[in-house]
Amino acid sequence: MGERMRARLVMEEGRRDDVYPDDVLAMIDATVMLQRPFLTAAELAARPEALHDTELLLTGWGAPVVDGALLDRAPHLRGVLHAAGSVKHMIAPEAWARGITVVSAAAANADPVAEIAAAQIVLAARGVPAARRRYAQERSRSAAAAAAGARGRTVGLVALGEIGRRVAERLRDSGLRLIAADPFADADSAARAGIELVGLEELFARADVVSLHAPLLPATTGMIDAGLLRRMPQGATLVNTARGGLVDEGDLVAVWHERPDLTALLDVTVDEPPVASSPLWTLENVELTPHVAGSMGEDRAAMGRLVAAELRRWTDGEPLRHRVDPASLDRIA
């Protein structure tokens, strides 16, 4: 066996032990020469020589931007393996131009998001949020009349990417009807999964529950506007575990004032948290959670394990399973 590749771990300290616990570090140490000490992005900036002989950069939340300045300090860098989600804002054009291999652990983060989204969808389809509001107002068991069975209800998935597909899989055989809007989805594959592809306007007009799973791109920013929201059926629910910027919050506030029958379950907002004066805090038909969908606590180690597994494939000369294709960057988060 030849000399092992040299790797350096750079990410924020607060979540490092969750993402790279001891067992994951042991896997990595058995595969590459993992340099110590581990650094934060600020510490790396203060130690420009730290990446001089580094071939692989391992990262997570709080990763440094891999731009021309960093590459000048890392002449031997061959790959960046990111134990978190999107890499769009940390991998600069200079890195792609140099042919740096990039791996993202977004797939490991997708399952916890799908789990939360599917749970919210089922609760919404059964009318639980509306029953909860009515119970608080009436303080009577008659509030249960606001709830119903989920079977036969229609769920609209906005985008069938990594997370949208997993949500659909979790809802399979639930008795819910699944429709989806995604211009890139294959109709035959969707049909085999029991999903009917429709346009976005039709989805909002038909779905009892709309769940957002689109990436935040210039073309999708604010795309959920008043025109779509006003199409929602009586008693419908909007679930957002994707990105707050997908929704025009001003439009949502206006429509939700007009339509107290509608419910919004928002795990993400444009500002996190919303400003203190935001009506999102006070609208009775809006429920906010503090971005809890996704990997939390011990779940985060799955992303570190994905990175460790990709390192093993790399050193064994096997194809990487989670390599990011730069050509797809205009369609991913």
Side-chain angles (χ1 to χ4, degrees), residues 222-234:
M223 72 175 183
I224 310 303
D225 59 12
L228 291 173
L229 296 171
R230 287 195 174 100
R231 289 176 173 270
M232 297 181 76
Q234 181 75 19

Side-chain angles (χ1 to χ4, degrees), residues 270-283:
V270 173
D271 296 315
E272 295 185 352
V275 297
S277 60
S278 171
L280 295 176
W281 291 115
T282 54
L283 279 167

Side-chain angles (χ1 to χ4, degrees), residues 3-77:
E3 184 178 353
R4 291 183 296 168
M5 289 190 289
R6 295 176 296 277
R8 173 76 72 179
L9 173 55
V10 182
M11 68 172 290
E12 68 177 49
E13 187 174 3
R15 289 182 275 194
R16 189 169 61 207
D17 289 345
D18 286 345
V19 178
Y20 294 99
D22 288 344
D23 64 309
V24 172
L25 290 177
M27 296 166 62
I28 294 172
D29 278 322
T31 305
V32 297
M33 185 181 299
L34 186 56
Q35 299 164 312
R36 267 74 170 184
F38 306 146
L39 302 174
T40 65
E43 289 167 341
L44 177 63
R47 293 183 53 182
E49 78 288 351
L51 296 181
H52 180 72
D53 61 351
T54 297
E55 297 167 275
L56 300 172
L57 180 62
L58 312 185
T59 63
W61 284 283
V65 175
V66 183
D67 56 12
L70 184 144
L71 292 171
D72 287 343
R73 304 194 304 270
H76 303 287
L77 190 66

